[in-house]
Amino acid sequence: MKANKLARFAVVGHPNKGKSSIVSTLSHNDDVVISSRSGTTEKAESITVDTANGGYQLIDTPGFQRPVKVLRWLHEQGANASERAKVLEKFVHDSDCQKQFPDEVELLKPIVNGAAILYVVDGSHPYGAEYEAEMEILRWSGQPSMALINPIESVDYVDEWKSALLQYFKSVQVFNPMKADFEKQITLLKTFSHLNSAWSDALQNTIGDLQVQRQQQLEQSIALLSRLVEDLCEHRETQKVLTPSQAEKIKPMLEKQYHHWMRERETQAVRELMAIYGHFQSDVVAQQIDLPPDLFDCGQWFIWGLDKKQLVYAATATGALGGAALDAAVAGSSFMLGALGGGLIGASSAWFGADKLADLSVQGLPVGGYEARLGPIKNRNFPYVVIGRFIHLHAQISQRSHASRDALALDANDFQQRVQNLEKSTQRELHQACERLIKQRPVDNLESILTPLFN
Ligand SMILES: Nc1nc2c(ncn2[C@@H]2O[C@H](COP(=O)(O)OP(=O)(O)OP(=O)(O)O)[C@@H](O)[C@H]2O)c(=O)[nH]1
Ligand SMILES: [Mg+2]
């Protein structure tokens, strides 16, 4: 049976050193309870990372509470080295020990039952002799083991810890569960695969599966953005009215509905994006999430979408400026920016004016009366704003540790740099796609045009 062959790792150590955080990060599970209160985890909890061709188990455990006393009890059993694993077994089944040392019984049980050991320490606090009893107890099990140094606040004592740990563990690694990106997690899993040869094939398969899954997550994100930008670019709000003047009167209401729909649609996409990456505590996270400035905060559009210089290039690349102007824009756009003031681009407000969003139109209906219509969006920077915001969020969410319970902190947006980094021909494809979106024309290969922006 697959379950019997699964590699199992008990994550053990002092209380409050990030054991649960490591389990949460590696299992991509944001359900694991993490807290600054020492002694949060009271019962051993097993989490299975299940993949198509492999998988493994992580067991979160309570921290050691009375290691010195436990070690004394073990010594009192008078066992020689060959009998020590049996003594540990006796310890976890002894009813007096269960009463006296519930935490140690709970954390040693999975190890006695065959789990390998991941011993977690904090690299921001000094090493101390009190840890020796813990490591000695673990050594009695004879199980495969490695140590993880979690630099919770700093790396100040990492070297000191390494010297101490290497005497007890063959493998010692620094691993920060809050910051470990996907690649670092994979590196750690590779180390796990060397701990026990019986598990190495299954763990190698798991690594392969996780890499495939990561690629699928990226593809799903691109498809999600593609649908989002299409929906937002084509949306319109309509309302039947009796007279054209009535249409003017309801314009503020239509605008409100229009903005509401657009914002909701974007928020929904962000939730879906979080779900793709396994951040299911969306209520908590969504409340905490510090979304980019309001979608309709147009003053921010040159930050989230293209800047003015890039818009000049986009305008020329899509033919809005004509061929000669294109060369000038590619050569350097300072001339073009100057020329804008002279009204070179007839439709410049759609390109550069943040005021021009969506128009109200009124049309007579065949059955009588009129239809007031707001939208679709007119602003040429709009699709880039949507793409820029989404890509920024994607970068944050796809790297977000599942142990992180903080608000999503947004750093500088690099969308404009990403556009700049594209090959000129790819840039032009993007600009042409955005132009088609604004002109309500379908873009067949939108996903493949958006893909290079995610690199
Ligand atoms: N900044 C930072 N904080 C961390 C890191 N790892 C853990 N913490 C914090 O340290 C505290 C304890 O983390 P837990 O993962 O709950 O620790 P634990 O070892 O499971 O604790 P117990 O279950 O109480 O034994 C929490 O407040 C975490 O947010 C880290 O790498 N960086
Ligand atoms: Mg815990």
Side-chain angles (χ1 to χ4, degrees):
M1 239 174 75
K2 188 175 158 189
N4 287 338
K5 286 194 208 139
L6 279 188
R8 300 173 70 221
F9 300 91
V11 183
V12 297
H14 239 51
N16 222 26
K17 298 300 179 194
K19 301 180 296 297
S20 300
S21 303
I22 288 175
V23 169
S24 177
T25 297
L26 289 177
S27 62
H28 296 177
N29 183 331
D30 59 3
D31 262 343
V32 178
V33 182
I34 293 166
S35 142
S36 56
R37 186 178 65 81
S38 179
T40 298
T41 309
E42 293 177 351
K43 291 275 166 212
E45 185 127 3
S46 172
I47 293 190
T48 303
V49 176
D50 203 5
T51 69
N53 304 294
Y56 69 103
Q57 269 178 356
L58 287 164
I59 304 151
D60 193 9
T61 67
F64 281 98
Q65 294 291 347
R66 295 180 194 83
V68 175
K69 284 192 180 147
V70 171
L71 190 58
R72 197 174 307 139
W73 186 95
L74 296 174
H75 278 304
E76 281 164 9
Q77 310 308 304
N80 66 33
S82 74
E83 295 158 340
R84 285 180 177 164
K86 285 264 174 277
V87 174
L88 270 191
E89 215 170 308
K90 185 175 159 197
F91 172 83
V92 302
H93 291 116
D94 185 285
S95 56
D96 281 344
C97 293
Q98 286 168 1
K99 276 192 209 111
Q100 222 185 325
F101 309 111
D103 300 281
E104 281 78 5
V105 167
E106 198 65 18
L107 80 92
L108 290 171
K109 224 187 276 171
I111 298 171
V112 164
N113 289 332
I117 297 162
L118 301 178
Y119 183 62
V120 179
V121 301
D122 175 4
S124 52
H125 282 88
Y127 171 74
E130 68 269 27
Y131 295 92
E132 264 157 46
E134 297 177 4
M135 294 191 285
E136 185 60 21
I137 294 168
L138 295 171
R139 191 157 65 171
W140 278 45
S141 73
Q143 283 300 101
S145 62
M146 74 175 289
L148 296 176
I149 306 175
N150 177 12
I152 291 190
E153 278 156 0
S154 70
V155 293
D156 290 357
Y157 297 94
V158 165
D159 289 341
E160 187 177 309
W161 270 106
K162 269 187 192 157
S163 314
L165 291 166
L166 279 168
Q167 295 169 51
Y168 289 87
F169 301 93
K170 273 199 230 98
S171 177
V172 176
Q173 280 201 13
V174 177
F175 185 79
N176 184 333
M178 299 299 171
K179 297 206 177 121
D181 61 16
F182 183 74
E183 288 313 317
K184 290 220 180 71
Q185 295 173 30
I186 292 293
T187 307
L188 183 61
L189 279 183
K190 284 183 182 158
T191 315
F192 288 1
S193 73
H194 300 307
L195 288 184
N196 179 346
S197 58
W199 292 340
S200 73
D201 284 352
L203 282 170
Q204 288 299 336
N205 288 344
T206 307
I207 290 169
D209 289 344
L210 290 174
Q211 281 161 336
V212 168
Q213 193 180 312
R214 182 86 180 161
Q215 179 60 28
Q216 285 167 346
Q217 287 169 326
L218 175 63
E219 284 163 16
Q220 286 166 9
S221 305
I222 295 167
L224 183 62
L225 170 58
S226 178
R227 288 196 306 273
L228 172 69
V229 68
E230 279 173 346
D231 284 359
L232 289 180
C233 284
E234 74 181 28
H235 184 66
R236 57 189 79 184
E237 288 285 332
T238 57
Q239 174 79 44
K240 286 204 179 99
V241 287
L242 292 173
T243 61
S245 66
Q246 220 177 18
E248 277 302 326
K249 277 202 198 108
I250 63 159
K251 188 178 173 193
M253 183 198 81
L254 276 184
E255 255 169 7
K256 209 168 149 194
Q257 284 174 359
Y258 177 77
H259 286 188
H260 179 74
W261 191 93
M262 301 281 269
R263 288 190 183 107
E264 285 294 303
R265 179 67 186 82
E266 192 193 41
T267 306
Q268 177 206 336
V270 174
R271 290 222 179 85
E272 283 177 46
L273 182 62
M274 298 225 244
I276 287 174
Y277 285 95
H279 292 284
F280 287 109
Q281 304 285 12
S282 54
D283 267 4
V284 179
V285 182
Q287 274 171 11
Q288 289 181 343
I289 199 170
D290 190 8
L291 274 175
D294 180 19
L295 180 59
F296 288 100
D297 184 352
C298 304
Q300 300 284 339
W301 282 16
F302 293 127
I303 298 171
W304 289 105
L306 298 186
D307 62 22
K308 290 185 185 174
K309 190 171 154 185
Q310 287 177 320
L311 275 173
V312 171
Y313 179 71
T316 54
T318 53
L321 287 184
L326 174 66
D327 295 337
V330 175
S333 65
S334 53
F335 156 72
M336 295 304 300
L337 279 172
L340 274 176
L344 186 68
I345 303 175
S348 69
S349 89
W351 283 91
F352 299 98
D355 55 324
K356 190 154 174 106
L357 297 178
D359 289 337
L360 179 78
S361 63
V362 186
Q363 265 156 22
L365 293 171
V367 288
Y370 296 86
E371 185 183 73
R373 181 190 291 173
L374 196 89
I377 198 91
K378 281 275 189 328
N379 187 286
R380 303 302 299 257
N381 207 358
F382 184 78
Y384 301 98
V385 172
V386 175
I387 296 167
R389 285 161 68 94
F390 185 93
I391 284 185
H392 188 59
L393 280 165
H394 178 267
Q396 310 268 313
I397 291 170
S398 64
Q399 297 295 351
R400 182 174 170 85
S401 154
H402 291 77
S404 173
R405 303 287 186 267
D406 302 337
L408 194 57
L410 293 175
D411 46 20
N413 176 30
D414 64 351
F415 174 64
Q416 288 159 6
Q417 194 56 49
R418 284 173 193 255
V419 173
Q420 209 82 53
N421 291 347
L422 297 176
E423 299 269 335
K424 278 282 178 273
S425 60
T426 316
Q427 262 187 55
R428 200 167 307 168
E429 265 183 357
L430 172 70
H431 297 322
Q432 280 159 356
C434 287
E435 189 204 18
R436 289 185 69 85
L437 288 168
I438 285 294
K439 291 190 170 163
Q440 308 302 308
R441 294 188 194 135
V443 182
D444 295 335
N445 51 348
L446 186 54
E447 285 176 31
S448 66
I449 291 170
L450 293 173
T451 299
L453 284 168
F454 282 76
N455 289 335

